[in-house]
Amino acid sequence: MDFTSFLIQILNALQYGLLLFLVASGLTLVFGIMGIINLAHGSFYMIGAYLAFALSSLTGNLMLAIVLGIPLAFGFGALLERLLFVHLYKRDHLQQVLLTYGLILIFEELRSLTVGDDVHGVAIPELFSASIALSENLSYPVYRLVISVVCIALAAGLWWLMQRTRLGMMIRAGSFNREMVQSLGVNIDMLYRTVFALGVALAALAGMLAAPISSVYPGMGGNVLIISFVVVVIGGIGSVWGALVAALLVGFADTFGTVLMPDLAGLAVYLLMAVVLLWRPEGIFRKG
Amino acid sequence: MVGKDRKLRLAVSALGLGLGMLLAQGAAEAADKVKVGLMLPYTGTYASLGNAITNGFKQYVAEQGGKLGGREVEYFVVDDESDAAKATENANKLVKRDNVDVLVGTVHSGVALAMAKVARDSKTLLIIPNAGADELTGPLCAANVFRTSFSAWQPAHAMGKVVAERGHKNVVTLSWKYSFGEQSVAGFKEAFEQAGGKVVKELYLPFPNVEFQPFLTEIANLKPDAVFVFFSGAGAAKFVKDYEASGLKANLPLYAPGFLTDGTLDAMGGAGEGLLTTLHYADGLDNAKEKAFRSGYVAAYKIQPDVFAVQGYDSAQLLAAGLSKAPAGAFDKEAVMNAMSAATIDSPRGAFTLSKANNPVQDIYLRKAEGSQNKVIGVAAAKLADPARGCKLMK
């Protein structure tokens, strides 16, 4: 590997890591702050991708589709919380797993009934469809760079929301002591609903952004779910900052794993997880 | 007391006689029927393939007036969910509970391997309408196991010759690391290196990962003359889009078995245009059987048939060829098997026969992606037979 391709691989790792962060951030919020193990998180990613497909075929513009899709996903998340997840807070993890696993099956079947089982493509917006030449025979699609920029902006935005706003303060307080926050006059139900809807919207946004490069296909949420849980566990449950660091680590492990030890490529990410958990059983940044 | 006893005995024997007659009648009915067990995926990723195979099979049966070789067809259907863990149990349901004469299935190679084992153990006739694992008609071949589709080796081997003939010397391969991918790469490499080329590197990524970017960077770094890949379905669509977006497609020709572009060209949104692939079926084949098949299929199901529908159709044709040569009465497996092995199937893909290992000896077409079609542009390998390495039937 020469130096140029080494640099390009670093770019690949960063870009993959940032997209992983976008998916995992919603999961870590819901898991860490609300204490819900949400196996349906991958389904929200899939729903986002299918929303991008449906809305961009309807409007002819992916960016418009995303602008429309985010409030739809947020509203859908709030509705789900009101109808289903609200009943889970006081129940144990097994019941959460049962409900959210059931949701995976329902969403997959609904997708099959409404859109079918074919693979669909989503066009990259005209504005970002160019590529930048990186070496004599390799170029990099601008759209991938745009995704990375959006992810960085969202990471900064989430950090600001959690650490610097009143809402973030209430969310953090609510995750420590629900009753205390409630008795201080905060509408904790509304707060939890917001957090959950935010988690759903983040997953859906990740699906919408990834749709043009990943295509839209049955079962696409499953793979994402597993790797997202890896990121959340490595980063420390509930920590947005941890999810970012962990996602980047996973991006690097996966990319350089495939280049440096191709026979063990599938293993690199899980080796990383094992090492991190031996070193810090609660993840790199424990919730605090 | 005696009178009562005799009455009871009479009643019992009358009942016995009645039951016996019922059974005899049942047997007579069964003799005119053939029980077909369809074990295919009707849910999950491969659901559309399972449905296409079923449609094709039933279309041929319908064309014959609902009969195969003069026998009524009775279907027993199991959804295999493409789940290899449940495959043995599912196959046994059809073989032991439903007592089927013929097992037809399936798409997923792992499930098909388990079905082949059940078929060998129970000596049930098995027709495989898709799964391409080389082993099925290789080391695991059996006189009662038939395949109407392809072996992984076939389209890949044909492509090896094509790529060499097009003047490429150094090729990098990329595939998912699972047996079908590895067998495809091996088949390609065998033909390509025989023709004087060299595979400079075999790259693999874990199934079903689709993060191709590091591999594209690696390929660009290796600077080969061409690239050979095996991918299918959603992964194929993503790969071809990434390949084009990376700028590689313009400088570095891409070749693959036809699974890359079958049913995925629309999802690629133009990125697949012009790709050359090899498969045993193509769009635009000009033969009477294909035309009749296509119009019949469209009339019955209101959608265009695909390669899977053809394979289902041919599975029914193969079974019919066996049944028509077998004597009337009870299902004579040996006679059906022998007739099937010797049959020539007039397929929409073009006529084919079976090798000694019961895998199709067939033309592999070279196809070019145009719009949403894989247009035939020539025959990459005529009457190509899988070498069936390790198959005892070949001796």
Side-chain angles (χ1 to χ4, degrees):
Chain A
M1 188 167 38
D2 60 23
F3 190 61
T4 325
S5 39
F6 176 70
L7 288 181
I8 299 173
Q9 294 291 19
I10 289 183
L11 184 64
N12 291 334
L14 280 174
Q15 193 265 324
Y16 181 47
L18 284 167
L19 188 61
L20 277 183
F21 163 73
L22 191 55
V23 195
S25 59
L27 187 65
T28 204
L29 278 180
V30 172
F31 197 176
I33 292 171
M34 304 169 59
I36 300 268
I37 297 184
N38 181 16
L39 295 185
H41 195 73
S43 299
F44 300 138
Y45 173 84
M46 176 194 79
I47 289 171
Y50 274 88
L51 264 181
F53 168 64
L55 291 174
S56 66
S57 343
L58 213 66
T59 62
N61 185 333
L62 181 70
M63 283 188 283
L64 190 60
I66 291 178
V67 170
L68 287 172
I70 291 173
L72 275 178
F74 193 88
F76 179 63
L79 187 71
L80 268 184
E81 198 274 351
R82 177 69 194 82
L83 295 177
L84 297 173
F85 285 80
V86 75
H87 303 294
L88 284 181
Y89 300 138
K90 296 210 166 116
R91 296 172 190 250
D92 62 18
H93 284 165
L94 183 64
Q95 302 202 8
Q96 300 174 354
V97 166
L98 269 178
L99 174 78
T100 53
Y101 184 69
L103 283 178
I104 294 182
L105 300 181
I106 292 170
F107 289 142
E108 276 294 328
E109 205 52 42
L110 284 176
R111 173 206 42 75
S112 180
L113 289 174
T114 51
V115 196
D117 294 324
D118 291 334
V119 186
H120 295 288
V122 175
I124 290 175
E126 202 60 43
L127 185 59
F128 305 127
S129 62
S131 288
I132 301 169
L134 290 184
S135 69
E136 56 186 298
N137 59 356
L138 191 70
S139 40
Y140 213 76
V142 170
Y143 185 71
R144 281 179 179 266
L145 298 176
V146 171
I147 292 184
S148 299
V149 171
V150 172
C151 290
I152 292 171
L154 271 168
L158 271 180
W159 179 83
W160 178 78
L161 176 78
M162 294 300 288
Q163 303 296 331
R164 289 284 181 269
T165 66
R166 195 176 167 76
L167 178 68
M169 198 169 71
M170 289 193 291
I171 291 173
R172 280 181 292 140
S175 75
F176 281 109
N177 195 329
R178 198 183 148 97
E179 282 75 24
M180 180 59 85
V181 173
Q182 199 162 19
S183 58
L184 287 172
V186 175
N187 185 346
I188 193 89
D189 293 339
M190 208 37 116
L191 199 62
Y192 270 38
R193 196 159 302 149
T194 310
V195 172
F196 187 80
L198 185 64
V200 173
L202 282 170
L205 175 61
M208 288 190 278
L209 284 173
I213 52 174
S214 81
S215 307
V216 176
Y217 56 95
M220 66 186 296
N223 306 327
V224 164
L225 177 72
I226 296 169
I227 198 80
S228 300
F229 265 108
V230 171
V231 167
V232 168
V233 168
I234 290 179
I237 292 161
S239 165
V240 172
W241 181 235
L244 178 61
V245 172
L248 289 175
L249 279 177
V250 167
F252 272 86
D254 191 71
T255 303
F256 284 93
T258 56
V259 180
L260 300 177
M261 39 174 212
D263 289 334
L264 300 175
L267 222 60
V269 168
Y270 301 97
L271 272 179
L272 172 73
M273 180 163 85
V275 169
V276 167
L277 291 185
L278 281 174
W279 168 50
R280 296 185 79 130
E282 309 240 319
I284 301 178
F285 293 83
R286 62 175 71 178
K287 189 173 112 186
Chain B
M1 280 303 279
V2 172
K4 205 175 180 184
D5 201 29
R6 181 180 289 170
K7 254 188 200 164
L8 190 67
R9 222 179 289 163
L10 256 173
V12 168
S13 44
L15 193 69
L17 197 67
L19 271 178
M21 278 166 68
L22 266 176
L23 279 175
Q25 200 182 354
E29 258 177 20
D32 299 324
K33 276 189 178 170
V34 56
K35 292 168 128 188
V36 175
L38 297 177
M39 179 165 155
L40 290 160
Y42 295 107
T43 54
T45 313
Y46 291 140
S48 57
L49 283 62
N51 286 322
I53 290 168
T54 310
N55 287 347
F57 193 97
K58 291 191 169 166
Q59 186 190 340
Y60 183 74
V61 174
E63 283 174 11
Q64 309 304 308
K67 289 186 175 180
L68 288 183
R71 288 163 193 263
E72 295 274 349
V73 180
E74 190 179 358
Y75 294 106
F76 296 84
V77 181
V78 166
D79 176 10
D80 70 35
E81 301 167 47
S82 297
D83 186 346
K86 295 184 197 157
T88 305
E89 188 194 333
N90 282 334
N92 273 324
K93 260 187 220 163
L94 290 167
V95 170
K96 301 215 168 108
R97 184 192 67 191
D98 300 329
N99 242 324
V100 298
D101 299 314
V102 192
L103 205 50
V104 177
T106 188
V107 172
H108 186 281
S109 281
V111 178
L113 289 167
M115 289 178 76
K117 179 155 194 327
V118 170
R120 284 154 61 97
D121 292 348
S122 64
K123 310 227 178 326
T124 309
L125 196 55
L126 170 65
I127 300 177
I128 302 163
N130 186 65
D134 285 347
E135 298 93 317
L136 288 166
T137 56
L140 299 177
C141 75
N144 59 325
V145 174
F146 292 80
R147 175 152 61 189
T148 58
S149 48
F150 54 85
S151 68
W153 183 91
Q154 282 178 310
H157 190 271
M159 190 45 110
K161 209 176 101 212
V162 170
V163 173
E165 278 166 5
R166 292 173 68 86
H168 302 299
K169 294 279 175 251
N170 298 307
V171 167
V172 171
T173 67
L174 175 61
S175 156
W176 278 314
K177 190 163 186 67
Y178 67 169
S179 72
F180 196 95
E182 290 171 321
Q183 288 171 357
S184 295
V185 169
F188 170 80
K189 189 175 176 179
E190 184 186 330
F192 183 58
E193 299 205 329
Q194 256 169 27
K198 182 160 174 43
V199 171
V200 287
K201 188 143 192 185
E202 293 177 30
L203 297 170
Y204 290 101
L205 75 161
F207 180 77
N209 278 16
V210 288
E211 188 51 33
F212 299 116
Q213 215 58 34
F215 295 93
L216 297 176
T217 308
E218 184 69 6
I219 289 171
N221 185 37
L222 291 166
K223 299 192 179 66
D225 306 330
V227 178
F228 173 84
V229 298
F230 167 79
F231 293 110
S232 66
K238 180 173 190 318
F239 176 78
V240 172
K241 284 168 105 172
D242 285 357
Y243 194 77
E244 195 203 29
S246 70
L248 290 175
K249 192 181 170 214
N251 314 315
L252 205 49
L254 179 67
Y255 301 96
F259 312 103
L260 188 77
T261 51
D262 258 59
T264 55
L265 282 171
D266 285 335
M268 290 173 191
E273 191 68 22
L275 284 182
L276 294 183
T277 58
T278 43
L279 201 67
H280 54 293
Y281 189 60
D283 290 308
L285 288 178
D286 191 20
N287 69 59
K289 187 76 182 178
E290 157 78 3
K291 283 187 186 120
F293 166 74
R294 200 163 272 274
S295 63
Y297 193 92
V298 171
Y301 305 109
K302 314 283 176 258
I303 46 170
Q304 290 289 328
D306 53 15
V307 62
F308 307 105
V310 172
Q311 290 165 183
Y313 186 81
D314 291 343
S315 299
Q317 288 209 72
L318 179 63
L319 179 58
L323 288 170
S324 61
K325 294 273 167 59
F331 183 78
D332 181 347
K333 193 171 59 196
E334 293 294 325
V336 173
M337 269 162 42
N338 291 337
M340 278 167 64
S341 296
T344 298
I345 302 300
D346 184 17
S347 165
R349 75 187 89 165
F352 70 85
T353 55
L354 292 179
S355 69
K356 281 182 186 156
N358 293 332
N359 190 62
V361 178
Q362 57 192 342
D363 291 350
I364 303 293
Y365 300 103
L366 183 62
R367 305 120 36 99
K368 185 174 190 183
E370 285 175 18
S372 55
Q373 290 203 316
N374 290 293
K375 285 267 188 230
V376 59
I377 56 171
V379 175
K383 305 263 173 285
L384 185 66
D386 183 274
R389 296 191 181 98
C391 171
K392 294 201 179 82
L393 296 171
M394 297 300 284
K395 284 171 191 162

